[in-house]
Amino acid sequence: MGGRKKRGLINVDEVVDFFNNIIVEKPYLPLLIPLILIFWAIEKWFFSLSNWVPLVLAVWATIQYGNYHHRMVVEDLNKKWKRVILSTSPITPLEHCEWLNKLLMEIWSNFMNPKLSLRFQSIVEKRLKHRKSRLIEKLELLEFSLGPTPPCLGLHGTRWSTSGDQRVMRLGFDWDTTDISIMLLAKVAKPFFGTAKIVINSLHIKGDLLLMPILDGKAILYSFLSTPEVRLTVAFGSGGSQSLPATELPGVSSWLVKLLSDTLAKTMVEPRRQCFSLPAVDLRKKAVGGIIYVTVISASKLSRSSLRGSLSRRQPSFAVDGLQEYCEDQDLQTFVEVELGALTRRTDVRPGSSPQWDSTFNMVLHDNTGTVRFHLYERTPGSVKYDYLASCEIKMKYVTDDSTTFWAIGPESGVIARHSEFCGKEVEMVLPFEGVNAGELAVRLVVKEWQFSDGSLSFNNFVVSSQPSLNGSSNFLSRTGRKINVTVVEGKDLITKDKSGKCNPYVKLQYGKVLQKTKTAHSFNPIWNQKFEFDEIGGGEYLKIKCYTEEVFGDDGIGCARISLEGLIEGSVRDVWVPLEKVNSGELRIQIEAVSIDGCEGSRGSAYPGNGWIELVLVEARDLVAADLRGTSDPYVRVQYGNLKRRTKVMYKTLNPRWHQTLEFPDDGSPLELHVKDHNALLPTSSIGDCVVEYQRLPPNEMSDKWIPLQGVKRGEIHVQVTRKVPELEKRPSLDPEPSLTKARHISSQMKQMMIKLQSLIEDSNLEGISTPLSELETLQDMQEEYMVQLETEQMLLLNKIKELGEEIMNSSPSLTRRLSRS
């Protein structure tokens, strides 16, 4: 039933191709059709003789479409026949491979399963970040194991064959396991609430696998001949205190099956192939990124008529002596867009069917594998639109012997493979455009540098090694163990959206929850030379960069980028030019250095309880976003320090509030987070920005005065003064000059008065007046909690001082020590 419905739908592209084909075959048709329509209109509205005109047109169109469809089917069958039968000749008989499955069974549990589980786990985690079901707000991978059952290969035998000069092994792939264990924790999207555990406990994948050895056996390309059959069994369980019942989430099972099928189809179904390298030497290094220079050299054999359709739907061009002739389109104006992840760059426009560009682009790779795509566009003179013509791509992969493998789809779905033994070696490839019968693109790639997780770099056939870390993989220290110094040096070739042609760029840096901002420059090639400090964060956290230009009616983004800070070496400055993503030009020069803190453990000890407190002064804020319809806000600040929460008073109807309020916390090293909120009497409060105050490495008793940009909003800054105080007890006055008992009674009396006032307002049904006493009551409660913390801090300081005095007495009086020891 579903198939009949699908066949009943009109394929617009097929109809357009059909009429284009009719026009090419019958050049008189553009003149004949208007003539027939005019005659039919005269016959219908002036003198009605018969209805033969629509009938003749319908019959004629039906015959033409039948002939067209029949010809397309014949061409498609001929193409498959030539590819599978004529150009592929078996060179070995069918071979049974029971030995292969026995060998796979022996090494699966102790070698293949752990290795593949770790590899696929990282792939699944990356994939789930970008592809989520609409029912799921957040998805986290908790467990991943492929189980003890390996796949079965070549149950019905294997066969070697040749396709041109390429040898291909074809074998069956059948993986049916019920021992797989993949557990996901899903947070359900709004308006629903709760979490659920998704468990994949069985997997079935069946298809025909193709293996193609390349580079004299140094690597193997593998792919499925067609999209394999995929089935998953999904179970659902509880996920926490607010978990959903253990029932199926609607659509999640089908979404997971579709996600797996689409991933296989886009990455390893013919002609898309994956590469498995067989290096002679394994340096056991994990590449986490690289710098690649991509040069678009030239194109050849471009033809507008050939590039705008697929091979099976066009008539062949004229041929002379077996060579195909291509029409010279001298008025053709084309350019190439180079894409690597979210980074894109464009060449200039060049005319003719054999354009020369020789454009080189600096590209950044954030993994050990990547795909560089090349999209060919035509620029029509006098038009703002670009016509897409064709595409091709090159895949690259770091090999553990410190080399790089490149591969691409060749003519007739063949293989083009190159191998770069070291960084700096150029690789040149001529790629046919996919899906067309004309056009080739010549490109050159150079890997300038590979970056590794242990901090070493590989470039120009020279490996800069680092001190090995204790765990053998990464020398990241704890969150507060090192500082990251980031210097925004300069920029070049920045773009602007200002009609006046001016550019006023500035840069925002985000690392974790900390946000920093440079000053504003006034040039397309600005120079900042501004240095910023961050506490190092583990777990592969990226340094995120956003570049803006100041405009009259709001700032415009002119690109973004990210830098992996994994594997930084102390004392070594990483100086890189980072290309900006989501724009056509622009680069930033960034210098990054990891710095260890001398006496880390000793200085860190000052953050432990009993050695001081944190004094935070919330001075003011400026340029906050308007949360109310009247264009203002009622801002206050909620401060969270570990498990402690404080808040300031509410400043009504202002975007530039002034609090001048001081808060104190016992110094235990917890993150100091500020949440600026808009106060509402009846509705829930809304957030108008967040930030984190860095204080851990401040010198003792020295105040840091700074403006901190607010995150999560378009604008807004908050002015704070923070001091890490480590005083002597006798030098520190009481936290409050007012006697303790008097202040405690005063706060209690005020809270009772507010409760009585609130109760009377409720009895009078005066809902509008409730907001003021509620706000004052919350402020009094915060004052009470703050006062209790102050008393606890004084108590700890007093006990520490008594302990120090006792130690001094014991050290200064040896006789007393001996008496105590004897007793």
Side-chain angles (χ1 to χ4, degrees), residues 385-431:
K385 291 185 178 181
Y386 303 122
D387 294 330
Y388 168 79
L389 297 179
S391 297
C392 56
E393 66 180 31
I394 297 176
K395 291 186 177 181
M396 68 182 69
K397 180 180 180 181
Y398 172 77
V399 186
T400 53
D401 62 355
D402 213 28
S403 62
T404 309
T405 299
F406 303 87
W407 70 96
I409 302 170
E412 299 295 330
S413 297
V415 177
I416 302 176
R418 299 287 186 272
H419 188 235
S420 177
E421 289 82 5
F422 51 85
C423 290
K425 181 181 179 181
E426 295 183 349
V427 171
E428 190 168 325
M429 306 174 74
V430 179
L431 312 173

Side-chain angles (χ1 to χ4, degrees), residues 39-40 42-45 47-56:
F39 182 79
W40 174 72
I42 295 174
E43 186 269 344
K44 182 172 181 63
W45 281 297
F47 46 91
S48 178
L49 300 176
S50 64
N51 294 326
W52 60 271
V53 174
L55 180 62
V56 170

Side-chain angles (χ1 to χ4, degrees), residues 453 467-471 473-484 511 535-540 565-570 594-598 600-601 697:
S453 61
Q467 296 295 328
S469 58
L470 295 176
N471 57 11
S473 62
S474 175
N475 54 0
F476 264 120
L477 302 180
S478 62
R479 179 183 179 90
T480 56
R482 296 196 303 182
K483 283 284 189 181
I484 303 295
Y511 186 54
D535 285 328
E536 187 179 47
I537 303 173
L565 301 185
E566 190 171 357
L568 290 176
I569 310 171
E570 296 176 9
V595 180
S596 64
I597 306 299
D598 294 333
C600 176
E601 293 301 324
R697 294 303 164 193

Side-chain angles (χ1 to χ4, degrees), residues 350-539:
R350 293 287 185 266
S353 58
S354 299
Q356 296 280 337
W357 291 288
D358 289 322
S359 299
T360 302
F361 305 106
N362 174 23
M363 315 290 282
V364 174
L365 184 64
H366 297 294
D367 204 346
N368 62 349
T369 59
T371 302
V372 183
R373 295 182 174 86
F374 304 90
H375 306 288
L376 181 67
Y377 290 88
E378 179 187 6
R379 178 182 177 183
T380 305
S383 175
V384 295
K385 291 185 178 181
Y386 303 122
D387 294 330
Y388 168 79
L389 297 179
S391 297
C392 56
E393 66 180 31
I394 297 176
K395 291 186 177 181
M396 68 182 69
K397 180 180 180 181
Y398 172 77
V399 186
T400 53
D401 62 355
D402 213 28
S403 62
T404 309
T405 299
F406 303 87
W407 70 96
I409 302 170
E412 299 295 330
S413 297
V415 177
I416 302 176
R418 299 287 186 272
H419 188 235
S420 177
E421 289 82 5
F422 51 85
C423 290
K425 181 181 179 181
E426 295 183 349
V427 171
E428 190 168 325
M429 306 174 74
V430 179
L431 312 173
F433 288 107
E434 300 175 10
V436 298
N437 64 351
E440 294 178 338
L441 184 68
V443 299
R444 182 169 55 248
L445 296 94
V446 181
V447 178
K448 287 294 184 180
E449 176 185 297
W450 282 112
Q451 302 167 1
F452 303 103
S453 61
D454 64 352
S456 59
L457 303 175
S458 176
F459 56 92
N460 294 337
N461 202 19
F462 181 73
V463 178
V464 181
S465 61
S466 65
Q467 296 295 328
S469 58
L470 295 176
N471 57 11
S473 62
S474 175
N475 54 0
F476 264 120
L477 302 180
S478 62
R479 179 183 179 90
T480 56
R482 296 196 303 182
K483 283 284 189 181
I484 303 295
N485 294 334
V486 179
T487 304
V488 183
V489 183
E490 57 183 318
K492 66 179 180 181
D493 300 331
L494 302 183
I495 65 171
T496 182
K497 299 179 182 178
D498 193 351
K499 295 181 180 179
S500 63
K502 297 180 180 179
C503 186
N504 304 309
Y506 64 90
V507 178
K508 284 186 177 181
L509 304 176
Q510 182 177 355
Y511 186 54
K513 293 185 177 181
V514 182
L515 190 68
Q516 302 282 4
K517 175 184 174 183
T518 68
K519 59 186 179 183
T520 301
H522 304 282
S523 172
F524 289 96
N525 300 290
I527 297 177
W528 290 286
N529 280 325
Q530 280 191 258
K531 185 177 180 180
F532 302 96
E533 242 183 17
F534 301 92
D535 285 328
E536 187 179 47
I537 303 173

Side-chain angles (χ1 to χ4, degrees), residues 625-792:
V625 296
D628 300 335
L629 295 177
R630 60 182 181 269
T632 62
S633 296
D634 302 324
Y636 69 94
V637 182
R638 170 71 71 178
V639 183
Q640 182 164 354
Y641 184 79
N643 296 325
L644 301 177
K645 293 182 180 181
R646 302 287 183 270
R647 57 170 288 174
T648 66
K649 55 190 175 183
V650 179
M651 307 301 294
Y652 293 95
K653 298 181 181 181
T654 179
L655 299 180
N656 300 285
R658 295 176 180 270
W659 294 287
H660 292 285
Q661 192 163 342
T662 301
L663 303 175
E664 291 184 341
F665 304 93
D667 189 358
D668 60 3
S670 299
L672 183 56
E673 301 176 5
L674 307 183
H675 304 275
V676 185
K677 297 181 177 294
D678 174 63
H679 176 75
N680 287 302
L682 301 178
L683 298 176
T685 58
S686 56
S687 175
I688 51 178
D690 310 291
C691 67
V692 175
V693 181
E694 295 292 334
Y695 70 92
Q696 286 90 345
R697 294 303 164 193
L698 291 178
N701 300 320
E702 290 188 16
M703 183 186 68
S704 174
D705 190 315
K706 51 188 173 182
W707 284 89
I708 304 177
L710 296 176
Q711 302 179 43
V713 288
K714 294 182 179 180
R715 62 179 186 273
E717 294 178 288
I718 186 169
H719 183 197
V720 300
Q721 296 173 346
V722 59
T723 309
R724 189 171 62 86
K725 293 196 172 183
V726 186
E728 293 292 334
L729 182 63
E730 66 272 14
K731 294 182 181 180
R732 182 184 182 221
S734 177
L735 291 176
D736 197 294
E738 187 177 1
S740 301
L741 185 59
T742 305
K743 183 173 181 179
R745 290 176 178 175
H746 182 63
I747 294 176
S748 177
S749 175
Q750 285 184 324
M751 292 184 68
K752 289 180 180 179
Q753 292 178 4
M754 286 298 108
M755 291 294 294
I756 295 173
K757 184 177 180 181
L758 186 62
Q759 184 177 1
S760 65
L761 290 173
I762 295 175
E763 292 176 353
D764 297 338
S765 300
N766 186 3
L767 298 180
E768 296 180 356
I770 292 179
S771 60
T772 302
L774 276 177
S775 178
E776 294 179 359
L777 188 62
E778 290 179 357
T779 304
L780 288 172
Q781 185 179 2
D782 291 339
M783 289 175 59
Q784 187 180 35
E785 293 178 359
E786 179 184 351
Y787 180 64
M788 294 301 296
V789 172
Q790 291 175 355
L791 290 178
E792 292 174 0

